[in-house]
Each structure stands twice: as C-alpha cells, then as structure tokens.
Amino acid sequence: NCTFCSKSRSWGANVKPEAFRLLCEETDTSDYQFGTFSGHHRFCKTCGLHAYGDGYVEQIGGAYVSINVACLDDVTPEELASLPIHYADGLNYN
C-alpha cells in the first residue's frame, strides 16, 4: 500500500535476485524511483506496464526482485485468481 503500489495495483511476488531471470533485454525497460531511492520500479518502454522491481530493503530481508504477476504472459486469469494472497503494509513498513 505504498503510494506507488497502491496506485498501480501491483500484485508482486518477491524473490531473491538469484532466482530471477529477465526474458527481455534490460535496455527494453526503464526505471522509476521515489522516496528513499531504495527500490527500482522497472517498466516496459513500449507499453509502460510496471513489470518488476528490484532493490534492497532491510525490513523485507535485503535484496529482492518483485515480479508483477499480472505481467506474466503464460498465466491465465483463472490461475491469477487462485493465487494465495498476502497483504503487506509497505506504507508503514509492516
């Protein structure tokens, strides 16, 4: 519920950087940062969708990559609807 995620309705799945593999060229994405500049919000230069983010935040375990699961091409709407939900309070670091 930080200002960025609440406004973009990001459904993130966090993984450690070593578990993440980008399937497009990184030059196809751009970066947005705000606040403490601890996170990078990567988005597609062509369509503007926020596909993933990465950074380092000690409160969530250090280095992370947060994947916007709604941007995964091979996931059906039914699969998205059946995913477990974990509510996070990013605004208050809970």
Side-chain angles (χ1 to χ4, degrees):
N1 67 346
C2 70
T3 56
F4 185 87
C5 293
S6 64
K7 291 189 182 293
S8 63
R9 301 290 189 243
S10 295
W11 287 7
N14 287 354
V15 298
K16 291 294 184 182
E18 58 271 11
F20 177 72
R21 183 170 45 113
L22 186 62
L23 298 178
C24 71
E25 295 295 325
E26 192 167 350
T27 56
D28 293 340
T29 66
S30 195
D31 184 21
Y32 172 72
Q33 289 185 284
F34 65 94
T36 63
F37 298 101
S38 60
H40 297 269
H41 299 274
R42 312 293 181 169
F43 61 93
C44 175
K45 286 182 179 179
T46 302
C47 70
L49 285 177
H50 169 233
Y52 71 101
D54 61 282
Y56 186 93
V57 176
E58 192 64 42
Q59 292 91 334
I60 64 169
Y64 70 91
V65 176
S66 181
I67 303 156
N68 185 352
V69 296
C71 287
L72 297 173
D73 290 335
D74 297 330
V75 181
T76 66
E78 293 79 21
E79 289 172 311
L80 286 173
S82 70
L83 292 173
I85 296 173
H86 169 79
Y87 294 97
D89 183 1
L91 187 61
N92 298 299
Y93 297 108
N94 291 325

